[in-house]
Amino acid sequence: MTRYSRQTRMLVAVDCIIFGFDGQDLKLLLIKRGFDPEKGKWSLMGGFVQPEEALDAAAVRTLNKLTGLDGVYMEQLAAFGTPQRDPMERTLSVAYFALIDINLYKQQLSDEYKAEWFSLRDIPKLIFDHADMVHEAQARLRYKAAIHPILFELLPPKFTIPQLQILFEAVYDAGFDKRNFSRKVLSTGLLVKQKEKERASSKRGAFYYKLDKRKYSAKFHAFLNFVSDPGNLR
Amino acid sequence: MTRYSRQTRMLVAVDCIIFGFDGQDLKLLLIKRGFDPEKGKWSLMGGFVQPEEALDAAAVRTLNKLTGLDGVYMEQLAAFGTPQRDPMERTLSVAYFALIDINLYKQQLSDEYKAEWFSLRDIPKLIFDHADMVHEAQARLRYKAAIHPILFELLPPKFTIPQLQILFEAVYDAGFDKRNFSRKVLSTGLLVKQKEKERASSKRGAFYYKLDKRKYSAKFHAFLNFVSDPGNLR
DNA sequence: GCAAAAGTGTTATCACTACACCCATGG
DNA sequence: CCATGGGTGTAGTGATAACACTTTTGC
């Protein structure tokens, strides 16, 4: 077999927008870029797609290289391909966003990549078009979380309803009525009440809940309307 | 400036999933591929991204090359990058879907590309992973149209409510109650009733409506809930 | 015993569903 | 005058939003 003649080949990278939730704020995992151009600047974790590697596989590998985690929720966000986005050489980047339980990766941060969690309200200047990617990922997260039970991916296996509410409030930068909120999330039937209580954040203690995994898989793509019109918020 | 060493460059293409509506069925515009491999087989319209060209620009150019149309609604669908998707040479394709008023392109079909409209129920075998792209585009169209007023892009500037309903029914392969349907679309406030009637498809005639362009732009991203739970249909 | 957070119930409004009849016209 | 498709109204049901008080317990 021959090749397509007279066409330009270009580099293809993946970049990961990695969200976490520390119990108060929505956070983003950034690294200090380790090579030129823009060496030492804050950046999303990324990497080049390898010759025999699928895009999703490259994204999974890149996330794993930084965090050591597997089985993380990831979704393709979009392809970014402005000609001069990387001044060194034309590079197309396929952005993925990931939602991780921050507890699984908040220790050994100061390794080879100089990774740090940043509050989304306080993101440093980023290289290339990474700020655009972050904004688009945040918009997508708000959009999806309004309809689908996606934010559970940011929580540990056991969580309380007040914790869940704080998470929603962080994502939408808005307050919700706790009575309506708990009625709504419980009405999905996705949550299983535990006997144990979380006692760190209040005297009375709040009951833990776990996801009902069967129902969670079944209803993941259903329209659940957690937030009526996220476009009208803020 | 130097270049990134020891990384693979690859071809980057765009492919267009072009939807149209003929008054009865949802249709897809396909071409007969003009070069090897798979020459003469049915294919989506596509093309390679040029050295100094952005992705969106490549998609717009590709659509225009086939149809001669400008200002068409287009949206990036996803990047497809399985290593062997093009057996000739590794090629990443960024798929875009487009919604066009079929009346603007249903004549001069037998030109250089041998383009034809196919009903979505009756798509021929397609090259590479184009069938995957079509399925994903159809799913995305259903998803978006359930929430946003996107299907108007498939209609001519003046249309009747029965025509709109047939379109929704074609997209969701389902029947809707006409009283509830018209109440719902009129309640969005997006439609302006015309004095003129469409008289071809009934004796009584149905009033034409036009989009209120101001409100259409304003509400395009709002959550309008045209279809309550598209996942439960079919 | 009090401060702090958890938990719960009611009412009014709105949106959705299901359903059936009259209207205008061309033939 | 009748067949065809266009157009409209209502009642019942379920979801949403607004709102305040009681419970538990660590200090």
Side-chain angles (χ1 to χ4, degrees):
Chain A
M1 277 223 174
T2 167
R3 308 202 334 151
Y4 298 100
S5 54
R6 290 191 307 283
Q7 295 296 341
T8 311
R9 279 84 187 159
M10 56 185 95
L11 285 167
V12 176
V14 292
D15 283 301
C16 298
I17 297 100
I18 306 169
F19 291 101
F21 175 62
D22 67 359
Q24 280 311 122
D25 283 322
L26 196 57
K27 303 227 152 180
L28 205 57
L29 187 56
L30 300 173
I31 63 165
K32 277 208 163 146
R33 183 166 160 107
F35 52 93
D36 275 320
E38 304 281 3
K39 182 171 175 175
K41 305 270 184 69
W42 289 108
S43 162
L44 295 169
M45 179 67 184
F48 291 110
V49 176
Q50 297 306 113
E52 293 302 317
E53 189 180 42
L55 296 175
D56 290 2
V60 167
R61 173 178 58 77
T62 301
L63 179 74
N64 177 272
K65 202 157 117 191
L66 175 61
T67 64
L69 299 175
D70 278 313
V72 167
Y73 180 85
M74 270 189 121
E75 188 178 324
Q76 195 188 107
L77 178 65
F80 291 75
T82 309
Q84 301 299 331
R85 52 177 297 281
D86 183 333
M88 178 90 105
E89 177 181 347
R90 178 138 196 204
T91 306
L92 182 141
S93 173
V94 182
Y96 281 77
F97 78 91
L99 306 179
I100 78 179
D101 171 3
I102 203 171
N103 303 300
L104 301 178
Y105 185 69
K106 76 181 162 191
Q107 315 307 329
Q108 73 293 10
L109 282 175
S110 57
D111 67 335
E112 139 179 39
Y113 296 103
K114 309 256 173 35
E116 274 183 40
W117 287 103
F118 287 84
S119 166
L120 265 165
R121 277 193 269 261
D122 198 27
I123 300 293
K125 191 168 185 308
L126 297 176
I127 65 162
F128 303 167
D129 52 359
H130 287 194
D132 296 339
M133 293 180 180
V134 169
H135 286 132
E136 215 167 293
Q138 200 179 355
R140 178 81 137 260
L141 181 64
R142 282 187 173 161
Y143 189 95
K144 279 211 84 158
I147 310 182
H148 304 291
I150 193 180
L151 294 183
F152 296 105
E153 301 289 337
L154 289 166
L155 293 172
K158 288 189 308 190
F159 53 87
T160 69
I161 292 188
Q163 284 168 358
L164 183 62
Q165 181 168 352
I166 294 167
L167 170 53
F168 269 86
E169 291 177 341
V171 168
Y172 293 101
D173 196 11
F176 298 100
D177 180 274
K178 66 176 176 173
R179 291 159 290 188
N180 295 335
F181 182 83
S182 80
R183 193 182 313 112
K184 201 176 244 185
V185 297
L186 291 174
S187 76
T188 61
L190 297 175
L191 301 188
V192 184
K193 192 174 191 168
Q194 306 300 112
K195 288 182 179 141
E196 193 190 353
K197 280 185 166 186
E198 190 273 345
R199 301 200 162 273
S201 42
S202 76
K203 292 161 184 169
R204 182 177 176 177
F207 282 104
Y208 278 120
Y209 286 80
K210 283 187 180 176
L211 276 176
D212 180 326
K213 286 182 192 170
R214 292 190 79 84
K215 290 184 188 162
Y216 182 60
S217 317
K219 292 196 177 181
F220 193 81
H221 295 286
F223 278 38
L224 294 175
N225 286 357
F226 285 100
V227 180
S228 348
D229 192 344
N232 283 342
L233 296 176
R234 307 206 82 230
Chain B
M1 277 221 177
T2 167
R3 308 206 329 156
Y4 298 100
S5 54
R6 290 191 306 283
Q7 296 296 341
T8 312
R9 279 84 186 161
M10 56 185 95
L11 286 167
V12 177
V14 292
D15 284 301
C16 298
I17 298 100
I18 306 168
F19 291 102
F21 175 63
D22 66 359
Q24 281 310 122
D25 284 323
L26 195 59
K27 303 228 154 179
L28 204 58
L29 188 56
L30 300 174
I31 63 164
K32 277 206 163 148
R33 182 163 160 108
F35 52 92
D36 276 321
E38 306 280 3
K39 183 170 174 176
K41 304 270 185 70
W42 289 107
S43 161
L44 295 169
M45 180 67 184
F48 293 109
V49 176
Q50 297 306 113
E52 292 301 316
E53 188 180 44
L55 296 175
D56 290 1
V60 167
R61 173 178 56 78
T62 301
L63 179 75
N64 177 272
K65 202 159 114 189
L66 175 61
T67 64
L69 299 175
D70 278 313
V72 167
Y73 180 84
M74 268 188 122
E75 188 178 324
Q76 195 189 107
L77 179 63
F80 290 74
T82 309
Q84 301 299 331
R85 52 177 296 283
D86 183 334
M88 179 91 105
E89 178 181 347
R90 179 139 195 203
T91 306
L92 182 141
S93 172
V94 182
Y96 281 77
F97 77 91
L99 305 179
I100 79 180
D101 171 3
I102 203 172
N103 303 299
L104 301 178
Y105 185 70
K106 74 181 166 193
Q107 315 308 330
Q108 72 293 6
L109 282 175
S110 56
D111 68 334
E112 145 181 32
Y113 296 103
K114 309 255 173 34
E116 274 183 40
W117 286 103
F118 287 84
S119 167
L120 265 165
R121 276 193 271 261
D122 198 27
I123 300 293
K125 191 168 184 309
L126 298 176
I127 65 162
F128 303 168
D129 52 359
H130 287 194
D132 296 339
M133 294 180 180
V134 169
H135 286 133
E136 214 167 295
Q138 200 178 356
R140 178 82 137 260
L141 182 63
R142 282 187 172 161
Y143 188 95
K144 278 210 85 158
I147 310 181
H148 304 291
I150 193 181
L151 293 183
F152 296 105
E153 300 290 337
L154 289 166
L155 293 171
K158 288 189 308 190
F159 53 87
T160 69
I161 293 189
Q163 284 168 357
L164 183 61
Q165 181 168 354
I166 293 167
L167 171 54
F168 269 86
E169 292 178 340
V171 168
Y172 292 100
D173 196 12
F176 298 101
D177 180 274
K178 66 177 176 175
R179 291 160 290 190
N180 295 336
F181 181 83
S182 81
R183 193 182 313 114
K184 201 176 245 185
V185 298
L186 291 174
S187 76
T188 62
L190 297 175
L191 301 188
V192 185
K193 192 173 190 169
Q194 306 300 112
K195 288 182 179 142
E196 193 189 351
K197 278 186 167 185
E198 190 274 344
R199 301 199 164 273
S201 41
S202 75
K203 292 162 183 168
R204 182 178 176 176
F207 281 104
Y208 278 120
Y209 286 81
K210 282 187 182 178
L211 276 176
D212 180 326
K213 285 182 193 170
R214 293 191 79 84
K215 291 186 188 161
Y216 182 60
S217 316
K219 292 197 178 181
F220 192 80
H221 295 285
F223 277 37
L224 294 174
N225 286 356
F226 286 100
V227 180
S228 345
D229 191 344
N232 283 342
L233 295 177
R234 306 210 78 224

